Amino acid sequence: MTKASKRIAASAAAVAAMAMTATFTAAPASAATSGYLEVCSFGNYASYVQFPWRGGWSTYVVPRGTCLNTYIGTSSAIEPIQVRGIYNTSSNTFWISNGNIRPSRGGGVDTYGTTAANNHWASIPSV
C-alpha cells in the first residue's frame, strides 16, 4: 500500500468514526433515562409529582427555576401520576395535572405558568 492510499484509508476511517460519533451523541439533552423522572419547575412556583399507586409517595419538591431527577424504579407497568404545585406565597399546594408514566422508559414533567388566576400547566410524558 502506498503512502497516499494509506492516508486516504486513514482519512476515510476518521470520517466514518466522526459520523458514528455524531449519530450516537445527537440525542437531546432532555432525553428520558430509564428508571428516572425529571421534574422541572419553569413557572413561578415549586412543583412535585405524586404516585397514587405508591401510597401517595412523591418526588422531592423542585424549587422554581430548577430541575431534579428522581429514581422511580424500572417497572414496565403504566401507573398514574399527579402533578402538583406549591403556592409561592404560602405552603398550600394545588393540583396541576394528571397523567401516566412507565418507569422503565423514564420521562420528564415540566411545569409552567403562574399561580395567579390558576394560570399553570404541565407537560407530561407519553406512554
Side-chain angles (χ1 to χ4, degrees):
M1 198 177 237
T2 66
K3 285 184 180 182
S5 53
K6 285 181 183 178
R7 280 194 298 253
I8 291 169
S11 295
V15 168
M18 286 188 289
M20 287 185 66
T21 301
T23 301
F24 294 116
T25 60
S30 61
T33 302
S34 176
Y36 286 86
L37 175 65
E38 181 180 52
V39 179
C40 293
S41 295
F42 294 125
N44 75 341
Y45 54 89
S47 57
Y48 63 99
V49 174
Q50 279 188 325
F51 293 77
W53 287 4
R54 299 181 185 194
W57 178 83
S58 68
T59 65
Y60 288 106
V61 172
V62 181
R64 65 184 178 181
T66 63
C67 297
L68 180 68
N69 275 310
T70 301
Y71 182 73
I72 57 172
T74 56
S75 168
S76 61
I78 296 172
E79 62 180 290
I81 58 173
Q82 294 179 352
V83 183
R84 303 200 51 86
I86 301 174
Y87 286 101
N88 55 16
T89 56
S90 72
S91 60
N92 293 334
T93 65
F94 58 92
W95 173 87
I96 300 172
S97 186
N98 290 334
N100 294 297
I101 191 164
R102 185 185 311 263
S104 62
R105 290 176 64 184
V109 170
D110 299 332
T111 59
Y112 302 94
T114 70
T115 55
N118 291 321
N119 184 21
H120 42 73
W121 66 97
S123 68
I124 298 176
S126 61
V127 290

